[in-house]
Amino acid sequence: MAKIDSAALGNRPISKLLIQQAAPASVGILVMSLNILIDTIFVGNWIGPIAIAAINVVLPVSFFIAALGMSIGIGGSSIISRALGAEQQEKALKTFGNQITLTLLLTITMVVVGLVYINELIPAFGGKGEIFEPAKVYYRVVLYGVPFLALCMMGNAVIRAEGKPKFAMAAMIIPSVGNLILDYILIYRLDMGMLGAAWATTASYLFCLGYVAWFFLSKNSELKINWPHFGFDWPILKEISSLGFVTLARQAVVSITYLLMNNILFDLGGEDSVTVYAIIGRMLMLALFPVLGVTQGFLPIAGFNYGAKKYARVRKSINTAILYAVVLGLLVFTGIMIFAEEIVEIFTDNATIIAETPDAMRWVFAATPIIALQLIGAAYFQAVGKAVPAFLLTLSRQGFFFIPLVLILPRFYGEIGVWISFPIADVLATLVTGYFLNREIRKSLRTETA
């Protein structure tokens, strides 16, 4: 059995450790988000605004299948982090093997289903009118590569659980850079249109999988699994599933949100309104990268120290992560409020979209400074293996608050009702998460036993 050296998560100063874990995570998320952003700019300028809407229609389907890998990765990594903290190396190895088997089984099944029902799924997610045909071209090719992406996202979470965030960062950078290079070649140089955009994306997933496979086969990884580890261990599988279901449910809600938003906005303002949402969605991915990076960096620290029963360090990691994320969220908020118009003009020269998007974007980002508490709070419960509160708090923002709001408010306020649903949902979810996190700290993290 390989010796697993992750003791740094349990003894280095929390502030320094969080920066070391969060900085590579933030850079990785930034590069991945920039990839999506620049990809959208390329598509918008080289193909047209309808192509932006078409990609936005496909994203929830492909992201949901890929989220199976992310869910299995995060659920299993919570087990791995706690197992390493408790010096249960064999359990960590068995968990990793089960993650690989489960990811392959589920994602391949979902891809087959997705291809069989291609003509039903695209219109259901808003691919109507002129959007349908380009969305269908993009969807078919990208779906082939989604299992590669799922394995990458699963592996990335495990790399973080090993305490090696720089390698996890590289796993996000490599496919992003590859996608942009292929975009230039296939769309701009070879004039392949939507087909070129789709193949560039799929090939980038394969690049990512190649790097992740290299990492685990090399001396850099200490999780050296053998064939017996791939066989299902039902108690571990149950724990992976219960914790991973939190992430999967969140992505399912994201996909439902895309479905609702694309259809509601198409009915309210046609293709242009769907494009407005597509641009704002890209900015949400990009602008929140530092906050999401802190959340990713926080997970292995909290999980390891909880497994080691070092509760004072868990409390300090919660407080430090929230502080850092709030400060970064405030900077993001300020930038969006000031430069919304300039940001939109990067994507398109369509006068209608340029006129409508900035105010909508400001509404969507209005509560950004406070969402750190909601993200860190929900992540804590997942990191320490408490699946039920993690599930409820993760779904609170979009599932319990945003979806009802976006179904109700546009009936009274039209399109502005869609955009004000975002900050209202953020505030409500933050209040609920703050209450439960504070109660958890007072009840479960007071006694230091190690």
Side-chain angles (χ1 to χ4, degrees), residues 11 16 57 132 185 216 398 412 427:
N11 55 42
K16 181 178 180 181
V57 165
F132 177 78
I185 295 172
F216 286 113
Q398 286 187 299
F412 299 96
V427 171

PDB file of all heavy atoms in Angstrom, residues 11 16 57 132 185 216 398 412 427:
ATOM      1  N   ASN A  11      -1.587  20.437  10.128  1.00  0.00           N
ATOM      2  CA  ASN A  11      -0.669  21.121  11.050  1.00  0.00           C
ATOM      3  C   ASN A  11      -0.180  22.492  10.593  1.00  0.00           C
ATOM      4  O   ASN A  11       0.343  23.247  11.392  1.00  0.00           O
ATOM      5  CB  ASN A  11       0.545  20.212  11.360  1.00  0.00           C
ATOM      6  CG  ASN A  11       1.255  19.740  10.110  1.00  0.00           C
ATOM      7  OD1 ASN A  11       1.468  20.497   9.177  1.00  0.00           O
ATOM      8  ND2 ASN A  11       1.630  18.452  10.087  1.00  0.00           N
ATOM      9  N   LYS A  16      -2.373  30.411   5.979  1.00  0.00           N
ATOM     10  CA  LYS A  16      -1.398  30.059   4.946  1.00  0.00           C
ATOM     11  C   LYS A  16      -1.881  28.867   4.141  1.00  0.00           C
ATOM     12  O   LYS A  16      -1.792  28.842   2.903  1.00  0.00           O
ATOM     13  CB  LYS A  16      -0.054  29.749   5.602  1.00  0.00           C
ATOM     14  CG  LYS A  16       1.048  29.385   4.612  1.00  0.00           C
ATOM     15  CD  LYS A  16       2.363  29.131   5.336  1.00  0.00           C
ATOM     16  CE  LYS A  16       3.471  28.772   4.340  1.00  0.00           C
ATOM     17  NZ  LYS A  16       4.761  28.493   5.022  1.00  0.00           N
ATOM     18  N   VAL A  57     -28.098  26.661 -24.626  1.00  0.00           N
ATOM     19  CA  VAL A  57     -29.141  25.637 -24.568  1.00  0.00           C
ATOM     20  C   VAL A  57     -28.535  24.265 -24.263  1.00  0.00           C
ATOM     21  O   VAL A  57     -29.091  23.468 -23.508  1.00  0.00           O
ATOM     22  CB  VAL A  57     -29.933  25.602 -25.891  1.00  0.00           C
ATOM     23  CG1 VAL A  57     -30.768  24.336 -25.997  1.00  0.00           C
ATOM     24  CG2 VAL A  57     -30.813  26.834 -26.017  1.00  0.00           C
ATOM     25  N   PHE A 132     -32.530  25.992 -32.819  1.00  0.00           N
ATOM     26  CA  PHE A 132     -32.567  24.528 -32.781  1.00  0.00           C
ATOM     27  C   PHE A 132     -31.435  23.872 -33.567  1.00  0.00           C
ATOM     28  O   PHE A 132     -30.708  23.023 -33.038  1.00  0.00           O
ATOM     29  CB  PHE A 132     -33.924  24.010 -33.296  1.00  0.00           C
ATOM     30  CG  PHE A 132     -33.998  22.513 -33.344  1.00  0.00           C
ATOM     31  CD1 PHE A 132     -34.217  21.777 -32.195  1.00  0.00           C
ATOM     32  CD2 PHE A 132     -33.833  21.833 -34.548  1.00  0.00           C
ATOM     33  CE1 PHE A 132     -34.279  20.392 -32.231  1.00  0.00           C
ATOM     34  CE2 PHE A 132     -33.890  20.451 -34.600  1.00  0.00           C
ATOM     35  CZ  PHE A 132     -34.118  19.727 -33.436  1.00  0.00           C
ATOM     36  N   ILE A 185      -8.311  27.557 -34.671  1.00  0.00           N
ATOM     37  CA  ILE A 185      -8.009  26.772 -35.872  1.00  0.00           C
ATOM     38  C   ILE A 185      -9.298  26.325 -36.580  1.00  0.00           C
ATOM     39  O   ILE A 185      -9.453  26.521 -37.793  1.00  0.00           O
ATOM     40  CB  ILE A 185      -7.153  25.539 -35.500  1.00  0.00           C
ATOM     41  CG1 ILE A 185      -5.780  25.979 -34.983  1.00  0.00           C
ATOM     42  CG2 ILE A 185      -6.997  24.615 -36.709  1.00  0.00           C
ATOM     43  CD1 ILE A 185      -4.951  24.839 -34.409  1.00  0.00           C
ATOM     44  N   PHE A 216      -2.167  10.381 -11.927  1.00  0.00           N
ATOM     45  CA  PHE A 216      -2.396   9.256 -11.017  1.00  0.00           C
ATOM     46  C   PHE A 216      -1.475   8.077 -11.298  1.00  0.00           C
ATOM     47  O   PHE A 216      -1.229   7.263 -10.404  1.00  0.00           O
ATOM     48  CB  PHE A 216      -3.862   8.821 -11.079  1.00  0.00           C
ATOM     49  CG  PHE A 216      -4.783   9.772 -10.372  1.00  0.00           C
ATOM     50  CD1 PHE A 216      -5.710  10.510 -11.080  1.00  0.00           C
ATOM     51  CD2 PHE A 216      -4.716   9.942  -8.997  1.00  0.00           C
ATOM     52  CE1 PHE A 216      -6.568  11.397 -10.428  1.00  0.00           C
ATOM     53  CE2 PHE A 216      -5.548  10.827  -8.340  1.00  0.00           C
ATOM     54  CZ  PHE A 216      -6.471  11.562  -9.050  1.00  0.00           C
ATOM     55  N   GLN A 398     -30.985  28.065  -5.216  1.00  0.00           N
ATOM     56  CA  GLN A 398     -31.665  27.995  -6.509  1.00  0.00           C
ATOM     57  C   GLN A 398     -32.955  27.188  -6.452  1.00  0.00           C
ATOM     58  O   GLN A 398     -33.945  27.551  -7.071  1.00  0.00           O
ATOM     59  CB  GLN A 398     -30.718  27.404  -7.560  1.00  0.00           C
ATOM     60  CG  GLN A 398     -29.636  28.390  -7.985  1.00  0.00           C
ATOM     61  CD  GLN A 398     -28.809  27.848  -9.134  1.00  0.00           C
ATOM     62  OE1 GLN A 398     -28.159  26.828  -9.013  1.00  0.00           O
ATOM     63  NE2 GLN A 398     -28.822  28.545 -10.255  1.00  0.00           N
ATOM     64  N   PHE A 412     -45.732  39.389 -12.865  1.00  0.00           N
ATOM     65  CA  PHE A 412     -46.123  40.731 -12.424  1.00  0.00           C
ATOM     66  C   PHE A 412     -45.212  41.834 -12.969  1.00  0.00           C
ATOM     67  O   PHE A 412     -45.662  42.948 -13.207  1.00  0.00           O
ATOM     68  CB  PHE A 412     -46.112  40.797 -10.896  1.00  0.00           C
ATOM     69  CG  PHE A 412     -47.067  39.834 -10.242  1.00  0.00           C
ATOM     70  CD1 PHE A 412     -46.637  38.598  -9.794  1.00  0.00           C
ATOM     71  CD2 PHE A 412     -48.419  40.151 -10.095  1.00  0.00           C
ATOM     72  CE1 PHE A 412     -47.517  37.705  -9.189  1.00  0.00           C
ATOM     73  CE2 PHE A 412     -49.300  39.276  -9.496  1.00  0.00           C
ATOM     74  CZ  PHE A 412     -48.854  38.043  -9.055  1.00  0.00           C
ATOM     75  N   VAL A 427     -30.110  36.477  -0.888  1.00  0.00           N
ATOM     76  CA  VAL A 427     -30.275  36.980   0.483  1.00  0.00           C
ATOM     77  C   VAL A 427     -30.987  35.946   1.349  1.00  0.00           C
ATOM     78  O   VAL A 427     -30.551  35.651   2.482  1.00  0.00           O
ATOM     79  CB  VAL A 427     -31.043  38.315   0.480  1.00  0.00           C
ATOM     80  CG1 VAL A 427     -31.406  38.717   1.912  1.00  0.00           C
ATOM     81  CG2 VAL A 427     -30.208  39.415  -0.183  1.00  0.00           C
TER      82      VAL A 427
END
